[in-house]
Amino acid sequence: MFTSAMISVSAPGKLILCGEHAVVYGRPAIAAPLSDVRAYARIEPGAPGSGLRFIAPDLGETWTAAGQPKHPLSELALAALARLGQRETDLIVQLRSDIPIASGMGSGAAIGTALVRALATHAGVELAPEEVAALVYASERRFHGTPSGIDNTVVAHERAIWFERREPAPLIETLTIAAPLLLVVGDTGVRSATRLPVGAVREGWRADPRRYEALFDQVGELVTRARAALATGDLPLLGALLNANQALLEQIGVSSPDLERLVAAARAAGALGAKLSGAGWGGVMLALVTPAARLAVESALREAGAARVLAATVPATAGA
Ligand code: PMV
């Protein structure tokens, strides 16, 4: 049964530490939640007969599931209600997000996750993170082509993960992180829809599969080494691996002059390593820093034209 109370839940943004793009082709990647930057879903009962109504000020949109049944979030809500054994009902769903859209910080997965969790809470059903992730993944698949599933997974689990795309279910492992990571994130301010660079990589891969497979193999190897560096707390090595990942992403063709300007500024200001994060062509880059270098890197990124700069910590964890 639905509760009549107002429900408010949230889901974090995310960063891919290393392995983006190659992860679509079965290589491993490492991602962490961005717990301070979140999307929120609030659900309250609507007037009888009003149906499922969405209000999303950050998307500049208001719509109903009946009026726009093909809207990605209508479809996701209807799929979630079906999974929850609920019929479409009279609800007002308010969606809000602090995560810039199309920036590589997982805003789509976070909004979807918050929506599914709010509907589940409202229905009084507890969904495991895997089930939330699966619903959001099905929605991303419909609208973004060939997502690896890493975004919805890290957002639903809200912890740092090792991820490998596999059928029928991905491999998800908890990481051992011996020393906390301090990351500074610089946003180019350039919005870039994930499916565009992902589609360009697919075209490149189709045209020259050997070259791309070799690049993806190199990414996979450095992600494996990054896991070991995380486990031993070897941050200088991790920084060098992030730099190597950026070089490979440039060869894969998903970097941009704006991203490279921010990456260079962060390195010159003392970052241990820096790379683009997410799909590329715009969106964000991240820099691994020591506490002593943090302020210098933040101001270097602002001087280099970052539209927004934020710091995030990935806490130390014991692996599974
Ligand atoms: O920009 P984002 O956060 O959507 O990053 C997508 C990551 C890719 O590896 C490029 C695509 C994917 O589905 O894994």
Side-chain angles (χ1 to χ4, degrees):
M1 275 301 286
F2 276 118
T3 70
S4 58
M6 193 189 79
I7 300 291
S8 186
V9 306
S10 69
K14 71 97 204 4
L15 283 175
I16 296 181
L17 192 64
C18 50
E20 51 275 267
H21 286 289
V23 70
V24 175
Y25 298 81
R27 275 53 165 204
I30 295 174
L34 263 178
S35 293
D36 293 342
V37 193
R38 307 187 73 88
Y40 302 85
R42 208 171 85 170
I43 293 189
E44 55 196 312
S50 61
L52 196 54
R53 189 156 163 255
F54 295 85
I55 303 172
D58 302 310
L59 303 174
E61 286 184 77
T62 300
W63 74 98
T64 60
Q68 289 191 50
K70 296 282 167 220
H71 190 293
L73 293 170
S74 302
E75 284 205 351
L76 177 57
L78 295 172
L81 287 172
R83 160 64 190 81
L84 295 164
Q86 305 285 331
R87 293 166 64 96
E88 188 186 335
T89 180
D90 302 319
L91 295 175
I92 302 171
V93 180
Q94 290 200 45
L95 300 167
R96 210 169 61 64
S97 176
D98 297 337
I99 312 163
I101 293 164
S103 65
M105 287 197 273
S107 74
I111 291 173
T113 301
L115 170 62
V116 171
R117 276 200 193 134
L119 288 167
T121 308
H122 204 264
V125 177
E126 201 163 312
L127 287 183
E130 292 76 15
E131 290 183 276
V132 178
L135 282 161
V136 177
Y137 181 56
S139 160
E140 296 207 330
R141 256 182 113 115
R142 233 171 99 46
F143 294 96
H144 299 299
T146 54
S148 64
I150 191 169
D151 280 23
N152 49 280
T153 301
V154 67
V155 167
H157 288 264
E158 198 162 351
R159 58 176 162 77
I161 55 164
W162 168 273
F163 181 93
E164 287 177 42
R165 180 184 189 179
R166 293 200 184 159
E167 294 300 335
L171 174 72
I172 304 156
E173 287 177 354
T174 306
L175 294 164
T176 302
I177 301 179
L181 307 183
L182 182 54
L183 301 172
V184 176
V185 180
D187 185 354
T188 59
V190 177
R191 299 289 156 254
S192 173
T194 302
R195 67 187 158 74
L196 299 177
V198 168
V201 172
R202 185 149 304 262
E203 273 171 34
W205 174 77
R206 279 205 189 105
D208 193 349
R210 278 172 56 153
R211 172 165 181 264
Y212 276 77
E213 287 292 330
L215 288 167
F216 298 151
D217 280 343
Q218 290 178 68
V219 173
E221 276 161 33
L222 77 78
V223 173
T224 303
R225 294 181 64 203
R227 182 180 196 163
L230 284 169
T232 55
D234 189 342
L235 299 185
L237 173 58
L238 182 61
L241 292 167
L242 299 184
N243 288 341
N245 196 172
Q246 170 63 25
L248 290 167
L249 287 163
E250 288 172 17
Q251 292 183 57
I252 290 169
V254 294
S255 189
S256 75
D258 288 328
L259 284 163
E260 283 162 33
R261 198 175 56 248
L262 298 186
V263 164
R267 288 178 188 160
L272 297 168
K275 63 180 277 291
L276 72 85
S277 181
W281 283 2
V284 297
M285 50 69 68
L286 59 81
L288 177 66
V289 300
T290 58
R294 173 184 166 174
L295 289 180
V297 170
E298 287 180 355
S299 39
L301 288 175
R302 281 195 199 93
E303 271 163 39
R308 169 169 155 148
V309 175
L310 58 99
T313 306
V314 180
T317 48

